[in-house]
Amino acid sequence: MSAKTASVCLPYRPESVGAARRFVCTQLRGWGLDDLVDDAALIVSELVTNSIKTGCQTRMLVGVRRPTDRTVRILVGDGSRSMPVMVQARPDATSGRGLAMVHRLTHGCWGVTPLPFGKVVHADLATPAPVPR
């Protein structure tokens, strides 16, 4: 199977979180990966929210790739060189759990690629292996 890729450019506004979620979910359903939709929606929401918080005014690129039949990669690129950091949020904290959730949902398969004028954060999801009959 050749890799499939789709992307969309979004503004740094709160409503872009919902737009990114709809974009990624539509792509996954179109590829027949309905079992990944819920986790992908949470992941892209967190990554886009983090990008919005950087205060960038350039462009944010949201992409989804299907490098294999069972794997999807969610990408969010922004114009900030500020790297995301996974922190241990206190029990009474109202934020700070997002990257820990991304880490948990992707089984640690996420990362950041620094670029000359920003970065791309990626997170990989895999469908469960088919049960042999």
Side-chain angles (χ1 to χ4, degrees), residues 78-81 83 113-120:
D78 64 40
S80 171
R81 299 253 358 214
M83 296 293 135
T113 303
L115 301 172
F117 300 102
K119 67 182 173 300
V120 175

Side-chain angles (χ1 to χ4, degrees), residues 70 126-132:
R70 295 184 42 233
T127 61
V131 177

Side-chain angles (χ1 to χ4, degrees), residues 90-109:
R90 293 184 3 203
D92 60 341
T94 58
S95 65
R97 294 177 182 84
L99 285 177
M101 178 188 64
V102 169
H103 186 80
R104 192 171 48 255
L105 291 173
T106 64
H107 305 284
C109 294

Side-chain angles (χ1 to χ4, degrees), residues 45-96:
S45 294
E46 176 57 29
L47 300 183
V48 169
T49 297
N50 285 351
S51 286
I52 291 169
K53 288 178 182 177
T54 66
C56 286
Q57 298 300 314
T58 56
R59 62 186 174 94
M60 175 183 5
L61 188 66
V62 175
V64 62
R65 248 182 232 154
R66 188 175 179 189
T68 71
D69 287 341
R70 295 184 42 233
T71 306
V72 67
R73 175 169 276 193
I74 298 164
L75 305 112
V76 176
D78 64 40
S80 171
R81 299 253 358 214
S82 175
M83 296 293 135
V85 177
M86 188 168 56
V87 296
Q88 181 69 36
R90 293 184 3 203
D92 60 341
T94 58
S95 65

Side-chain angles (χ1 to χ4, degrees), residues 1-4 27-28 30-36 65-73 125-130:
M1 170 187 161
S2 63
K4 296 180 182 181
Q27 290 302 314
L28 294 183
W31 292 337
L33 297 173
D34 296 49
D35 54 329
L36 297 180
R65 248 182 232 154
R66 188 175 179 189
T68 71
D69 287 341
R70 295 184 42 233
T71 306
V72 67
R73 175 169 276 193
L125 285 172
T127 61

